[in-house]
Amino acid sequence: MEVTRARLGSLLEWALAAACALGIAALGSLLIEGLRTPRGIVRVNVEAAEAGMAPAPDPPAAIPPRAVSVPLILLHDGTELRVGERESSISAKLQRPWQTGVDTLERTTAGNRITRAYDDGFRRFMLVFDPPQEAAELRLSAIYLP
């Protein structure tokens, strides 16, 4: 009887040790997964987002068909250009030799839309300036990467 009790007790001890080891491994796995998952990602329902947004305006004729619109661009010298900035601020940040070609002018209902192409030696990009309703100075309305 004593031998059976000893074997049964030993078996229970090993089963309890294995259950504890599995529990610690599961908790460690959850902890590592929580540390590896970035918290800044927000899931977006694309269909719902597109339904609530106004349609994007057509790009100017000077923009190539496969060009990508971006909200900001970081130039090779560290200068940052953002949509919404004034033309005077943009002109101060860009060097004159970077401009390629001439300005393209389009007449819209709001006024004259100007498209300029640039190459800073690292990448080519195109800036679109639209006149705002409240002010006389042009504002950067779009940045395109061809």
Side-chain angles (χ1 to χ4, degrees):
M1 192 84 163
E2 199 61 41
V3 173
T4 308
R5 226 182 259 165
R7 285 186 183 168
L8 187 60
S10 176
L11 181 64
L12 288 175
E13 287 176 1
W14 277 104
L16 183 62
C20 288
L22 285 175
I24 290 172
L27 287 175
S29 174
L30 290 174
L31 179 68
I32 290 173
E33 182 182 344
L35 292 174
R36 292 184 62 192
T37 304
R39 303 225 184 271
I41 296 177
V42 178
R43 292 187 179 168
V44 177
N45 183 346
V46 175
E47 294 168 354
E50 287 177 349
M53 292 176 54
D58 290 332
I63 303 298
R66 293 191 182 262
V68 178
S69 177
V70 294
L72 66 97
I73 186 170
L74 187 62
L75 304 176
H76 80 280
D77 63 353
T79 305
E80 185 177 276
L81 305 178
R82 291 183 175 270
V83 170
E85 289 186 57
R86 296 178 186 271
E87 182 186 24
S88 59
S89 171
I90 298 289
S91 297
K93 294 177 181 181
L94 297 174
Q95 297 176 16
R96 190 72 176 151
W98 290 355
Q99 186 170 355
T100 59
V102 296
D103 293 355
T104 304
L105 181 72
E106 285 186 58
R107 298 192 190 284
T108 63
T109 56
N112 293 333
R113 175 191 286 175
I114 298 173
T115 304
R116 294 183 183 143
Y118 291 92
D119 186 350
D120 69 345
F122 181 66
R123 74 170 60 88
R124 294 178 348 175
F125 56 97
M126 301 180 92
L127 304 180
V128 180
F129 295 95
D130 280 322
Q133 291 81 7
E134 70 278 351
E137 188 173 6
L138 296 173
R139 289 196 180 265
L140 182 61
S141 60
I143 303 170
Y144 289 95
L145 300 175

